[in-house]
Amino acid sequence: MTTPTCTPRLPVMIGSWNAIPAIAHAAQRLQGNTPLLDAIVDGIALVEDDPDEMSVGYGGLPNEDCVVELDAAVMEGVSHRSGAVAGLRGVRHAARVALEVMRRTDHSLLVGEGARKFAALLGFPDENLLTDRARKAWLDWKANLSERDGWIAPDQAASSFGTARWAGRTPHGLTAPEMLAPDAPPPKVPFTYGTIHVSAVDAAGNLASCTSTSGLSYKIAGRVGDSPVVGAGLYTDNSVGSAGATGRGESVLQVCGAHTIVQRMEAGDSPTDACLFTLKKIADRTRLSHLRDAKGRPTFNVTLYALRKDGVFGAASMHEGYEFAVLDGVAPRAASAAWLYPKD
Ligand code: GLY
């Protein structure tokens, strides 16, 4: 089990598999007396800056028009406030913009052009977030989309997108994290629902969370998943705990994923059990046949993260084989998530 038997010493931070550098940086900032949410957002900014992390920030995989659109949200337990942006173009630090929405406005979610203008007014630089690698991945996607359109894949092998890099970054050798069930065949082109999430509790017992993503790769322009939606991609209640989600956002939205986890913890579930309950709810309500395999299991993955106010934590995935990041001592580490469906 991932839930520790004794209560960890605070602070404790948990997050998605790709959040280890974010958590390490956030812990350092916390030691320097940076407020908890600012420390988390600073940590996530490091990952938003990484061009090789193609599910978040600069270098994230683009939408079907080859434009990068970012979603992010923050939530602070002590004030029970939140801020979010969705469909944000041209600004890599989406989580920082979400934090400004929380701090500088009486609103909780800004979208599209409004979010971009807001960021510009605050001095966030406007830039092209599309890296060469992401553009080439989009070209591969476009070329493989249909045999009946004008696009062809001249030489997949010569594609300068390195799939080996993706394979090395996931526990099961899939081409992208949070994409498909572990037994699903890898797609021809990089594809992801990947996201970064961090939930944390500081030494005073205050909680905060942040989720940031470039969302579903090659999505219809304007598609927004769970990440910037409070109660779905993240939820923090200072009297209970904090939760977050990565993976197929549509499914998390439809069960109010993060809020459900926190409610279950409030009712007495352990963090791991609260995640498993929510995953079962998603699985039971996945009714469309194209989303179910021959055994009726979801063909996609979702990973859920839960942190109780006392520092006890857990994480669970729809399918076996996923990891999450945790800091409950000196250094962050990867830990195995519990799962709903074992590998065959
Ligand atoms: N969980 C990220 C998304 O679906 O957009």
Side-chain angles (χ1 to χ4, degrees), residues 88-104:
L88 175 66
R89 298 179 175 193
V91 183
R92 65 169 70 186
H93 293 135
R96 285 196 171 136
V97 184
L99 184 60
E100 295 289 5
V101 171
M102 186 190 97
R103 294 244 166 93
R104 290 178 184 268

Side-chain angles (χ1 to χ4, degrees), residues 73-159:
V74 297
M75 188 155 187
E76 181 179 69
V78 72
S79 63
H80 205 71
R81 286 191 304 170
S82 64
V85 288
L88 175 66
R89 298 179 175 193
V91 183
R92 65 169 70 186
H93 293 135
R96 285 196 171 136
V97 184
L99 184 60
E100 295 289 5
V101 171
M102 186 190 97
R103 294 244 166 93
R104 290 178 184 268
T105 79
D106 192 34
H107 308 315
S108 49
L109 174 61
L110 297 182
V111 305
E113 202 43 38
R116 189 178 191 163
K117 276 189 193 158
F118 173 77
L121 287 171
L122 294 179
F124 284 87
D126 194 83
E127 58 180 326
N128 181 8
L129 304 182
L130 187 71
T131 57
D132 231 32
R133 174 181 290 215
R135 182 183 57 75
K136 286 170 180 161
W138 180 89
L139 277 175
D140 279 352
W141 168 77
K142 191 77 178 165
N144 282 284
L145 207 52
S146 166
E147 287 170 3
R148 287 185 289 169
D149 64 16
W151 291 83
I152 54 170
D155 184 357
Q156 283 298 313
S159 163

Side-chain angles (χ1 to χ4, degrees), residues 71 193-195 213-216 223-227 245-250:
D71 306 326
Y193 284 107
T195 300
T213 188
S214 54
L216 171 66
R223 176 267 186 193
V224 174
D226 57 329
S227 303
T246 59
R248 188 174 188 273
E250 283 74 5

Side-chain angles (χ1 to χ4, degrees), residues 257 260-266 268-280 304 306 316:
T260 299
I261 295 167
V262 172
Q263 271 196 322
R264 292 296 297 188
M265 289 198 289
E266 188 167 22
D269 273 8
S270 73
T272 304
D273 286 347
C275 293
L276 288 168
F277 173 90
T278 308
L279 288 167
K280 179 81 169 52
L304 301 175

